[in-house]
Amino acid sequence: METARRWIAGDTSFSLGGAESFDEMRARIVPAWEDIALRNDGKTYAVVAHGAVIKALLLSILPGRSAAEWLSLGPIHNVAITELTRSANGV
């Protein structure tokens, strides 16, 4: 919970015990997501990842969202389905 508290407070570079910070996660997953989405434009595809990675992705790509909303986004469990639909403007 310390990690989430720090990210919500704006310290997105914080990491605990060798884990990735929000900034490190975002730097890794957003380019991967953009590459996957562009290579599969118009297709249906699946991305499999841990719940924390999906949450960091959503908070990074959804307009107006940030790590400050980590708890308010709600839980995303490791065994879950999150459906995203890419609009014409790429979001």
Side-chain angles (χ1 to χ4, degrees), residues 68-91:
E69 297 175 84
W70 187 266
L71 294 178
S72 65
L73 190 60
I76 297 178
H77 302 287
N78 286 337
V79 181
I81 296 175
T82 304
E83 184 176 347
L84 298 175
T85 303
R86 192 173 174 93
S87 68
N89 66 358
V91 178

Side-chain angles (χ1 to χ4, degrees), residues 18-36:
E20 286 181 296
S21 69
F22 186 88
D23 294 339
E24 291 167 330
M25 220 181 334
R26 181 178 49 221
R28 177 174 61 87
I29 61 177
V30 171
W33 167 257
E34 290 171 347
D35 180 58
I36 291 166

Side-chain angles (χ1 to χ4, degrees), residues 2 13-14 16 28 33 39 51 58 63 67 72:
E2 175 65 13
S13 65
F14 176 79
L16 190 63
R28 177 174 61 87
W33 167 257
R39 285 189 293 126
L58 292 173
S72 65

Side-chain angles (χ1 to χ4, degrees), residues 37-85:
L38 289 173
R39 285 189 293 126
N40 293 286
D41 191 35
K43 300 176 187 172
T44 299
Y45 52 93
V47 175
V48 178
H50 287 104
V53 171
I54 296 297
K55 186 179 273 196
L57 176 65
L58 292 173
L59 292 173
S60 298
I61 66 171
L62 294 175
R65 298 292 188 145
S66 72
E69 297 175 84
W70 187 266
L71 294 178
S72 65
L73 190 60
I76 297 178
H77 302 287
N78 286 337
V79 181
I81 296 175
T82 304
E83 184 176 347
L84 298 175
T85 303

